[in-house]
Amino acid sequence: MHGSRPLVVFTALSWEERFILGLKRLVSEHRPDSVILFQYGREKERTGPNWHEAAKVCQEVGCTMRPIELPYAQPIDSWRAIHAVVEEISRIGVTVLLDISTMPREATWTALFLLQRAGVWTRYAYHMPRSYGAWLSRDPKTPRLALKLSGQMRFGAKTVLCVLTGFDRERTHQLIRTFDPSVVLLGVQTGSQFGNRERNSGSFGESERLRKEGYKVNCFPVDAYSDDHGFGAIAREIQTYAENENILMASLGPKLSSVALYRVQRRYLRTGLVYTPSGEYNSDYSRGIGKTITGEMPWMESK
């Protein structure tokens, strides 16, 4: 409930069917005053139909839609664009509903950081798809630290890399190749949803290969669909290293794990969040829409 405060939905334009079905669901259930639509220029050709449909959905219920361009390859410019929006809306006292379903994790972390810093009442929503495609992404690019959330690295300290694994194992390899950690913590998603056991089973086998290459590896179960989205499990794994090692964390599994990692980083400020861009995403990334999971960011609990 957003009471007397205007409600603003933050979402990211996607070609996926669940983007437009999810927007329709949120607009119908919550009747927002406005929708902030983050969009990436590199995807305009295949997101065009959903852009026009989103404008129609907003017009039908009388809420405004405001597109905001985010340069995918220029994180500083993206950060500034999100900052400008948050700064503007924070002056009028609003509630933000952050739809992370099709939002890159880097943008999700930036939005959460800026909304928390501005004291904006924030809820999040995630629409599960009905199913995923045969592959999701490929051609991973150089990982980059999240702006303002990159931690405080100690000179000469060892590096611990915590990766919440997903179906694209090459992105995990890219992280390890880039940072060459002394310890690798692999968080493996539990459950059988979306064929998870079969598609993610290689993560445990991967740990044996990494050990043979000289890495110290610890696999641990994490459930992004639990009430805390894996926050407790992740925090327990990294607290052993939090005082003396440099800790980097990446979310490659279900998007809800990015909310958990953000909360971990805010508890352990010396840790850093890492985003690994992909060069290509499957046009058949997902199909349909399933359950919508919502929650409230804990910084508002005392208000």
Side-chain angles (χ1 to χ4, degrees):
M1 297 295 292
H2 53 97
S4 60
R5 295 183 300 275
L7 177 64
V8 180
V9 170
F10 280 19
T11 189
L13 180 63
S14 168
W15 63 91
E16 292 178 69
E17 186 181 20
R18 67 170 164 161
F19 161 75
I20 197 64
L21 294 177
L23 181 63
K24 288 179 179 179
R25 182 178 289 177
L26 293 182
V27 166
S28 173
E29 292 181 3
H30 299 281
R31 297 288 171 171
D33 297 272
S34 64
V35 171
I36 301 296
L37 184 69
F38 297 131
Q39 57 184 22
Y40 294 88
R42 73 173 193 164
E43 302 291 356
K44 277 187 177 178
E45 184 173 339
R46 57 179 173 177
T47 59
N50 270 354
W51 191 98
H52 291 291
E53 185 66 17
K56 180 181 176 182
V57 168
C58 291
Q59 184 179 32
E60 287 176 350
V61 299
C63 75
T64 61
M65 187 182 86
R66 181 177 173 187
I68 301 292
E69 189 82 20
L70 299 183
Y72 189 73
Q74 298 171 300
I76 293 178
D77 290 340
S78 292
W79 195 94
R80 288 171 176 160
I82 299 173
H83 175 267
V85 172
V86 172
E87 187 176 55
E88 178 184 330
I89 66 171
S90 66
R91 298 194 192 106
I92 58 176
V94 301
T95 294
V96 165
L97 180 56
L98 181 68
D99 181 359
I100 67 172
S101 309
T102 56
M103 187 175 293
R105 291 162 176 83
E106 188 174 47
T108 295
W109 290 331
T110 295
L112 287 173
F113 172 77
L114 292 169
L115 290 165
Q116 180 175 13
R117 191 173 69 171
V120 176
W121 199 292
T122 303
R123 294 182 59 81
Y124 59 88
Y126 174 74
H127 310 294
M128 298 176 70
R130 196 172 62 247
S131 63
Y132 281 112
W135 63 276
L136 304 184
S137 63
R138 58 192 178 197
D139 187 23
K141 303 302 181 183
T142 302
R144 58 199 191 207
L145 293 168
L147 292 173
K148 301 292 185 178
L149 296 167
S150 58
Q152 303 166 16
M153 300 297 108
R154 302 167 180 80
F155 182 75
K158 295 179 179 179
T159 298
V160 175
L161 177 63
C162 178
V163 183
L164 307 184
T165 63
F167 297 154
D168 184 359
R169 268 178 274 166
E170 186 54 35
R171 294 176 87 182
T172 300
H173 296 168
Q174 181 76 312
L175 284 162
I176 294 170
R177 285 193 297 265
T178 300
F179 296 108
D180 191 27
S182 60
V183 177
V184 180
L185 304 175
L186 293 179
V188 182
Q189 174 65 34
T190 62
S192 59
Q193 64 284 334
F194 308 118
N196 175 69
R197 289 196 179 99
E198 296 76 19
R199 299 179 72 171
N200 213 7
S201 60
S203 296
F204 290 104
E206 196 70 16
S207 66
E208 293 305 314
R209 184 186 69 79
L210 291 171
R211 289 188 183 99
K212 290 178 181 178
E213 293 180 6
Y215 294 101
K216 179 180 177 181
V217 182
N218 181 30
C219 286
F220 66 98
V222 62
D223 185 3
Y225 300 113
S226 63
D227 289 344
D228 71 352
H229 311 315
F231 169 77
I234 300 162
R236 284 191 295 273
E237 289 297 321
I238 72 162
Q239 64 184 0
T240 302
Y241 306 97
E243 289 299 318
N244 300 309
E245 272 75 42
N246 294 324
I247 301 176
L248 298 174
M249 304 181 294
S251 165
L252 305 181
K255 284 282 184 68
L256 287 165
S257 65
S258 64
V259 175
L261 277 192
Y262 177 80
R263 291 183 58 202
V264 172
Q265 200 283 329
R266 293 289 82 193
R267 172 175 287 188
Y268 299 99
L269 295 177
R270 290 185 178 274
T271 64
L273 296 177
V274 180
Y275 176 65
T276 305
S278 287
E280 182 181 1
Y281 290 91
N282 190 359
S283 293
D284 191 28
Y285 190 97
S286 74
R287 303 179 192 93
I289 188 172
K291 178 182 176 182
T292 297
I293 298 172
T294 62
E296 188 167 271
M297 293 308 296
W299 66 75
M300 304 310 302
E301 288 176 354
S302 61
K303 294 198 174 186

